[in-house]
Amino acid sequence: MDDIETLNKNEGIPATTTVLENDEKKKAEEEEEDSKSESSEEKEQKQDDSYIDDESDDDPPSTKPGSLLVSRIVWEVVRTCDINIRNDFSTQIRCLLELLTKLDSNPKRIPKDLQTVHRLIWESNQLSFKLAKAKEDYKIWTKYHMYKKYEEAIDLLQSSLRPVASTWHSARRCEMLKKHPEIKFLLRDDPITLITMLIIILLHLYVALQLGSIQVVLVSNHYLNNFIIVFITSYCFGSFMAFGFQALDHELSHTINTPILSNLLGLFGSGCTLVPWYSYYFSGGHERHHKFAGTPKDIDREAFFWAWEKTPQCLDSPIGSVIWASIIGIGLPILYIFSLLYCVLGNWRANIKELKYFSIDMTVTIIIHSYIAHSGGLNGLFYLILSMGFGNGFLLHPLIAFWIMQHLCHKTSISTKSSSSSSSSQNNDNNDSEDDSEDENEYIKLQPTISYQGSHLWNWLNFNELSHVEHHDFSRIPWTKTNQLKLIAPEFYNSSHIYSIHSVTELLYDWVMTKGQKMNFACIKAEAPPPIHPADHADTSSHLPVIGQNQNQNNYEHFKTK
């Protein structure tokens, strides 16, 4: 109504003028007024910043995706985000805002996505000021939008500028569903998972009870004979049963149609091994892993996977790696308990659900192990413990490949040069400027999840847990149908599209022989780009600021006009 009244008050407009003509005239007048109100400084700044417009295709080479300078800037922002992710909300915003404001002081040195991140962080910070002054009725609304802006900024930072497992799989999922909508028919629970869990529970307990009265004699010494038989049985049979409890607990946590049966079988399956898999998968932690995989919010790395990333310095050798893998294989329940206690002490309210599940899980575990020790003797109890250890990689059992491989970060060097520049780079007579331009167009492509594409038998013995790319692409597809997914969309899983492991032996050899950092879980550690050479980039050091300097509020005023 205000627009119509304004139009009626304008002089010289005939009564028969259409609304469309009035709208066009008003729009022209508003644009004229806006152009008059702009100061000369704003016009110069607008001209300087015109290259960042979405319609412009003439981006400076230094801001092209993949350039080394952009890689350094992005890495600095990601590192700051990772360092402060566990701090309170206001600290996270303050540190990121200070850094982005420093970077944004010269827009020609910052990529477009980071400018959007800067704007969203600033808007979230403004909402935090409003929250302190808002009335009680508006605090929930203001807080919701404050967090939403911040999460949008972090999501953009992770999805556009960093290979995060969760967003990497999300992009693959969307593309696959567009090309192959029939995939959605695989998103159904499979009752075979429940049946298989029941079978391996009964088999595992039956073998444990039978080992209480061993009839086979291998050596004359009674105790040594019992130990050898229990050891061989645990290594060759019990390890796969113990691994199956973890794998099928994992699968049952993704089912939605049979929650009661899934919880009961998952609980009893977890009770047959000392690791509280029921608590780990059913209390919500694994759901957060799928949502935040590859970010500091993913608790999987803090709970378990840090142990396989790097061995202690005193064991940094091939033999030491085997010893360390054995310690972790047997001590995995202790690692979980310490991780849970650490989280509970930090914020017990957020972890009360997992603490309840853990209490139930440990109660059932103690009951089952006590029954086996009473009815099957020490042989049965040692069988359960050794099976659990071998299933987690004790003495470098091949099943350890699952823990090492699933989110192993694979690096591939990619060149964004044109074919002409690529062919010319083979000549040794290229000048220095051409070499510099080639370096600027090189970057590292990271793949945060890996699958095993070797023996089909080994995949089935691992309950298809080694098809981990497929699982994160579609976690609702049961383990019995992952092969069908690869048949429907083979172009997304062939060697030209993703990297895969083809030999468990080679994987374990590389892990044992590697010293220092053995793996980078889900590419969570941002790749630090090469150092800046002053001779090549004399003016770039100012774009990597020191965190902690106070910024003036006027530095963010330009967002009000964007």
Side-chain angles (χ1 to χ4, degrees), residues 179-442:
K179 293 185 177 180
H180 303 282
E182 64 271 20
I183 290 176
K184 63 184 180 181
F185 295 108
L186 299 178
L187 305 176
R188 298 174 181 176
D189 296 344
D190 193 340
I192 293 179
T193 305
L194 296 169
I195 298 171
T196 306
M197 176 63 98
L198 180 60
I199 291 174
I200 67 172
I201 289 174
L202 296 176
L203 277 176
H204 198 54
L205 296 180
Y206 175 77
V207 172
L209 292 172
Q210 291 302 311
L211 287 174
S213 56
I214 297 175
Q215 303 296 328
V216 180
V217 179
L218 298 178
V219 294
S220 57
N221 187 290
H222 174 70
Y223 295 103
L224 182 59
N225 182 74
N226 289 353
F227 174 77
I228 293 175
I229 293 176
V230 170
F231 185 92
I232 294 174
T233 307
S234 302
Y235 188 94
C236 299
F237 178 78
S239 58
F240 294 94
M241 298 296 101
F243 185 86
F245 297 134
Q246 173 269 321
L248 296 180
D249 260 331
H250 174 203
E251 285 292 327
L252 291 174
S253 68
H254 288 289
T255 60
I256 58 176
N257 295 330
T258 55
I260 298 177
L261 279 176
S262 298
N263 275 268
L264 285 176
L265 288 174
L267 178 59
F268 281 100
S270 179
C272 294
T273 178
L274 290 176
V275 186
W277 297 123
Y278 175 73
S279 169
Y280 182 71
Y281 285 117
F282 282 83
S283 62
H286 186 66
E287 183 181 350
R288 293 195 296 273
H289 166 66
H290 276 268
K291 186 176 181 180
F292 301 112
T295 73
K297 292 183 179 181
D298 181 11
I299 64 171
D300 270 25
R301 179 179 176 272
E302 294 185 2
F304 291 138
F305 288 92
W306 63 267
W308 291 286
E309 282 190 316
K310 186 177 182 180
T311 56
Q313 190 172 1
C314 60
L315 297 175
D316 196 8
S317 65
I319 297 177
S321 298
V322 177
I323 296 173
W324 179 246
S326 302
I327 294 172
I328 297 303
I330 292 293
L332 206 58
I334 300 175
L335 285 184
Y336 178 84
I337 292 172
F338 273 104
S339 175
L340 180 59
L341 288 176
Y342 174 80
C343 294
V344 169
L345 292 175
N347 186 355
W348 69 271
R349 293 181 184 275
N351 295 276
I352 190 66
K353 180 181 179 181
E354 189 166 0
L355 194 59
K356 291 178 181 178
Y357 276 66
F358 174 75
S359 302
I360 298 172
D361 198 341
M362 282 292 98
T363 301
V364 174
T365 300
I366 292 171
I367 292 173
I368 291 177
H369 282 69
S370 299
Y371 170 74
I372 294 298
H374 178 266
S375 302
L378 291 179
N379 290 344
L381 182 61
F382 287 154
Y383 166 77
L384 293 183
I385 296 174
L386 281 176
S387 297
M388 179 271 300
F390 285 129
N392 296 328
F394 180 64
L395 295 182
L396 209 69
H397 192 286
L399 288 172
I400 196 179
F402 168 73
W403 302 105
I404 296 174
M405 183 207 72
Q406 57 175 294
H407 284 295
L408 184 68
C409 184
H410 177 71
K411 297 190 294 185
T412 304
S413 296
I414 302 294
S415 176
T416 59
K417 296 177 294 181
S418 63
S419 58
S420 59
S421 63
S422 177
S423 60
S424 63
S425 65
Q426 298 177 0
N427 300 325
N428 295 328
D429 298 329
N430 288 342
N431 54 38
D432 295 337
S433 61
E434 289 177 342
D435 293 337
D436 290 341
S437 65
E438 291 169 12
D439 292 340
E440 286 294 330
N441 289 323
E442 291 180 357

Side-chain angles (χ1 to χ4, degrees), residues 116-135:
T116 306
V117 170
H118 189 186
R119 177 180 59 78
L120 291 169
I121 292 291
W122 179 84
E123 290 177 358
S124 180
N125 189 56
Q126 294 300 304
L127 288 169
S128 68
F129 294 147
K130 292 183 179 180
L131 179 64
K133 302 178 181 179
K135 296 181 179 179

Side-chain angles (χ1 to χ4, degrees), residues 15-292:
T16 58
T17 303
T18 63
V19 176
L20 180 61
E21 293 174 341
N22 292 339
D23 288 340
E24 291 177 353
K25 185 173 181 179
K26 182 184 176 182
K27 185 177 180 180
E29 291 175 354
E30 289 178 350
E31 290 177 355
E32 184 179 358
E33 291 176 1
D34 291 339
S35 62
K36 292 179 180 179
S37 62
E38 287 182 342
S39 63
S40 59
E41 294 180 357
E42 290 175 338
K43 289 181 179 179
E44 291 176 359
Q45 181 68 23
K46 188 174 181 180
Q47 292 175 356
D48 292 338
D49 294 350
S50 61
Y51 78 92
I52 66 171
D53 210 343
D54 292 337
E55 298 178 358
S56 175
D57 295 327
D58 300 327
D59 290 345
S62 61
T63 60
K64 293 283 187 182
S67 67
L68 290 179
L69 182 58
V70 169
S71 298
R72 297 184 190 107
I73 294 174
V74 170
W75 178 79
E76 186 70 16
V77 178
V78 170
R79 186 182 67 85
T80 304
C81 179
D82 289 353
I83 290 174
N84 294 281
I85 200 72
R86 296 283 181 186
N87 293 334
D88 59 275
F89 182 77
S90 59
T91 303
Q92 294 182 45
I93 286 187
R94 178 179 57 81
C95 292
L96 280 176
L97 201 53
E98 291 176 2
L99 174 61
L100 289 167
T101 303
K102 277 281 187 179
L103 294 172
D104 209 5
S105 60
N106 186 351
K108 293 185 179 180
R109 292 295 187 183
I110 186 172
K112 297 176 185 178
D113 287 337
L114 276 187
Q115 289 186 338
T116 306
V117 170
H118 189 186
R119 177 180 59 78
L120 291 169
I121 292 291
W122 179 84
E123 290 177 358
S124 180
N125 189 56
Q126 294 300 304
L127 288 169
S128 68
F129 294 147
K130 292 183 179 180
L131 179 64
K133 302 178 181 179
K135 296 181 179 179
E136 202 64 34
D137 298 339
Y138 294 96
K139 278 192 174 181
I140 296 179
W141 181 90
T142 307
K143 191 173 184 180
Y144 165 76
H145 285 280
M146 176 183 67
Y147 279 104
K148 184 179 179 182
K149 292 288 185 183
Y150 181 74
E151 290 178 357
E152 286 178 1
I154 299 303
D155 287 344
L156 177 61
L157 176 65
Q158 293 172 346
S159 62
S160 301
L161 307 171
R162 175 185 182 181
V164 178
S166 54
T167 52
W168 184 72
H169 287 285
S170 178
R172 284 173 52 84
R173 187 182 308 117
C174 293
E175 189 177 358
M176 290 170 71
L177 286 173
K178 287 181 180 179
K179 293 185 177 180
H180 303 282
E182 64 271 20
I183 290 176
K184 63 184 180 181
F185 295 108
L186 299 178
L187 305 176
R188 298 174 181 176
D189 296 344
D190 193 340
I192 293 179
T193 305
L194 296 169
I195 298 171
T196 306
M197 176 63 98
L198 180 60
I199 291 174
I200 67 172
I201 289 174
L202 296 176
L203 277 176
H204 198 54
L205 296 180
Y206 175 77
V207 172
L209 292 172
Q210 291 302 311
L211 287 174
S213 56
I214 297 175
Q215 303 296 328
V216 180
V217 179
L218 298 178
V219 294
S220 57
N221 187 290
H222 174 70
Y223 295 103
L224 182 59
N225 182 74
N226 289 353
F227 174 77
I228 293 175
I229 293 176
V230 170
F231 185 92
I232 294 174
T233 307
S234 302
Y235 188 94
C236 299
F237 178 78
S239 58
F240 294 94
M241 298 296 101
F243 185 86
F245 297 134
Q246 173 269 321
L248 296 180
D249 260 331
H250 174 203
E251 285 292 327
L252 291 174
S253 68
H254 288 289
T255 60
I256 58 176
N257 295 330
T258 55
I260 298 177
L261 279 176
S262 298
N263 275 268
L264 285 176
L265 288 174
L267 178 59
F268 281 100
S270 179
C272 294
T273 178
L274 290 176
V275 186
W277 297 123
Y278 175 73
S279 169
Y280 182 71
Y281 285 117
F282 282 83
S283 62
H286 186 66
E287 183 181 350
R288 293 195 296 273
H289 166 66
H290 276 268
K291 186 176 181 180
F292 301 112

